[in-house]
Amino acid sequence: DEVLEADPTVYDMLHNVNMPWPCLTLDIIPDNLGSERRNYPQSLLMTTATQASRKKENELMVLSLAQLNKTLVKDNDDEDDEDEDNEDNDSDPIIENENIPLRDTTNRLKVSPFANTNQEVLAATMSENGEVYIYDLAPQSKAFSTPGYQIPKAAKKPIHTIKNHGNVEGYAVDWSPLVKSGSLLTGDCSGLIYHTQKHTSKWVTDKTPFSVGNNKSIEDIQWSTTENTVFATAGCDGFVRIWDTRSKKHQPALSVKASNTDVNVISWSSKLGYLLASGDDNGSWGVWDLRQFSPDNINNVQPVAQYDFHKGAITSISFNPLDESIIAVASEDNTVTLWDLSVEADDEEIKQQAAETKELEQIPPQLLFVHWQKDVKDVKWHKQIPGCLVSTGTDGLNVWKTISV
């Protein structure tokens, strides 16, 4: 096999973290180190879960990654002068982990956007066995910054287990970005979606699921970033559907045929609440303007942008939370691409470049960056470190920031 080497000159930062097993999913844990962090070395908190070859070896892992230095690109001439300056930058990254034993592979996990390491860090995991576990990862997060702190035994167990899905596994899970106490949606491979909320001190799951009754898997779920009762789903039936939790019938309000194959992933923009991105099994992805979704227009809606650049199924898609025009897309073709939707295709400069270089004809002008990672499954932006991404594939985790974003 050909081994691809990353070009260090195009990364501000690039770190590879080897894991004991492949991880299908990851999420960033918000921390107390402030936002808009642009100085190196960087540090971050995150969580991931394994896909071990033996079920009982699986773990939910909380990771602290510190001393993440800038990628150094040395010119031979400058080497002597820079040696003194770079002593601070030569230290290796520091990785600490706190693990929670699991009995099964985790298909997907999400951390609550309201997570606070001083109080509560809610994380929901969807297990291959059909159960959904809610953990409070605050003790694990606290352990990294508090020397001598002993994690209580109880903190290694879920604070709540959702059993409504029976033994049907699922991949769709999302915390509401608007309901602080905790409001969770989970969708499974038989097309059922359950809504679980925290009432005072206990978790309650609505017994009636949301469903269209076609037995087709719900692949991803996203709460609206502006309306606290509205959510969207993506499914194996090729539809993107918009729902309202107030619906007595538990049926979708609007359904748009987004693809002729499975729609695997969706992302609802937090900056522009009317934009929803979706990615499908053929490697095609697009952005929808939800203002065009209306009952009388439902069969004619087209995405406002669509790209067929990827050669494999889209496995993850995410709007940059700090820049509404930038999107990260992960694919089974072993790449994560970054796109800038504010680039105009009819730009004269771009036309000239394409005319001069034949290879550029096949490349959409909105494509900013291609990052190679084997079997990449999930990618997340760090909300507090502009441009920083964490992605997971079979060869571990990548923590990276490009010079383009």
Side-chain angles (χ1 to χ4, degrees):
D1 276 9
E2 187 182 2
V3 177
L4 295 175
E5 289 280 331
D7 172 2
T9 61
V10 296
Y11 289 93
D12 255 358
M13 168 172 76
L14 174 59
H15 295 280
N16 186 41
V17 182
N18 292 321
M19 302 298 281
W21 300 104
C23 300
L24 299 174
T25 179
L26 70 95
D27 209 353
I28 311 281
I29 297 174
D31 58 43
N32 304 318
L33 300 175
S35 53
E36 290 286 327
R37 306 205 297 261
R38 296 178 190 275
N39 297 335
Y40 292 89
Q42 293 283 7
S43 57
L44 58 89
L45 285 177
M46 58 164 292
T47 178
T48 185
T50 60
Q51 183 184 29
S53 59
R54 301 212 327 244
K55 280 181 185 291
K56 63 175 197 286
E57 290 178 7
N58 279 301
E59 291 173 313
L60 175 63
M61 306 174 86
V62 183
L63 302 175
S64 161
L65 309 179
Q67 286 295 129
L68 298 170
N69 282 309
K70 203 169 174 150
T71 301
L72 292 179
V73 183
K74 281 190 179 173
D75 292 341
N76 292 338
D77 311 344
D78 305 345
E79 218 162 82
D80 302 335
D81 312 341
E82 291 204 355
D83 276 354
E84 288 93 58
D85 305 346
N86 283 335
E87 290 197 349
D88 298 346
N89 293 343
D90 284 346
S91 49
D92 287 331
I94 298 166
I95 302 172
E96 296 176 83
N97 59 296
E98 290 293 344
N99 298 349
I100 294 173
L102 297 175
R103 291 193 300 272
D104 278 286
T105 292
T106 299
N107 290 341
R108 205 168 276 170
L109 63 78
K110 286 273 176 74
V111 172
S112 162
F114 296 105
N116 179 333
T117 49
N118 291 334
Q119 290 159 352
E120 184 177 56
V121 177
L122 292 177
T125 70
M126 296 201 76
S127 174
E128 205 174 52
N129 65 18
E131 294 186 339
V132 179
Y133 306 115
I134 298 174
Y135 288 91
D136 179 4
L137 302 178
Q140 284 78 5
S141 309
K142 187 179 166 187
F144 302 125
S145 53
T146 317
Y149 173 73
Q150 287 285 315
I151 295 173
K153 257 207 170 88
K156 295 207 168 191
K157 294 198 161 41
I159 55 174
H160 182 69
T161 302
I162 300 167
K163 298 191 172 186
N164 300 57
H165 295 282
N167 58 4
V168 181
E169 66 177 324
Y171 291 84
V173 56
D174 200 30
W175 289 102
S176 167
L178 302 172
V179 180
K180 208 167 181 180
S181 54
S183 181
L184 184 75
L185 287 166
T186 50
D188 65 31
C189 292
S190 69
L192 301 184
I193 301 155
Y194 285 96
H195 184 202
T196 303
Q197 295 176 89
K198 193 175 189 183
H199 293 288
T200 54
S201 61
K202 68 177 208 275
W203 294 88
V204 179
T205 301
D206 186 351
K207 289 195 166 37
T208 311
F210 294 89
S211 174
V212 283
N214 65 1
N215 210 25
K216 292 272 177 50
S217 175
I218 300 289
E219 294 291 281
D220 202 4
I221 209 157
Q222 285 272 281
W223 281 102
S224 163
T225 51
T226 54
E227 297 176 76
N228 63 2
T229 61
V230 176
F231 66 96
T233 59
C236 276
D237 55 8
F239 278 89
V240 166
R241 303 184 193 276
I242 308 295
W243 312 66
D244 194 315
T245 55
R246 296 168 299 188
S247 156
K248 298 273 186 285
K249 292 181 175 169
H250 286 68
Q251 296 264 324
L254 294 165
S255 299
V256 168
K257 183 79 169 158
S259 171
N260 294 323
T261 177
D262 308 13
V263 182
N264 295 333
V265 285
I266 47 174
S267 173
W268 202 312
S269 168
S270 56
K271 285 265 195 199
L272 295 174
Y274 53 84
L275 291 184
L276 184 81
S278 68
D280 75 13
D281 229 23
N282 287 339
S284 174
W285 69 273
V287 177
W288 305 86
D289 182 338
L290 298 173
R291 295 171 302 185
Q292 298 175 3
F293 283 32
S294 63
D296 46 349
N297 187 34
I298 219 70
N299 298 321
N300 308 316
V301 184
Q302 294 297 319
V304 288
Q306 188 163 25
Y307 301 95
D308 298 320
F309 178 80
H310 280 285
K311 304 285 182 280
I314 306 298
T315 54
S316 186
I317 194 163
S318 183
F319 277 99
N320 182 343
L322 304 176
D323 184 338
E324 65 282 348
S325 62
I326 308 273
I327 294 188
V329 182
S331 165
E332 276 179 9
D333 63 12
N334 305 312
T335 64
V336 180
T337 49
L338 303 183
W339 301 75
D340 182 353
L341 298 182
S342 66
V343 173
E344 298 288 346
D346 54 4
D347 186 302
E348 285 306 319
E349 189 185 352
I350 288 166
K351 276 186 179 162
Q352 193 182 337
Q353 286 174 345
E356 288 167 9
T357 317
K358 276 281 170 270
E359 290 86 54
L360 285 178
E361 278 183 5
Q362 306 306 313
I363 296 174
Q366 292 79 12
L367 179 62
L368 271 185
F369 197 88
V370 180
H371 171 80
W372 191 89
Q373 187 176 1
K374 190 168 162 36
D375 299 327
V376 61
K377 292 285 186 239
D378 201 0
V379 61
K380 291 284 192 316
W381 295 94
H382 198 301
K383 292 186 178 73
Q384 295 166 277
I385 306 174
C388 173
L389 295 126
V390 184
S391 47
T392 179
T394 46
D395 55 1
L397 304 170
N398 286 180
V399 182
W400 50 290
K401 176 177 172 7
T402 77
I403 57 172
S404 339
V405 178

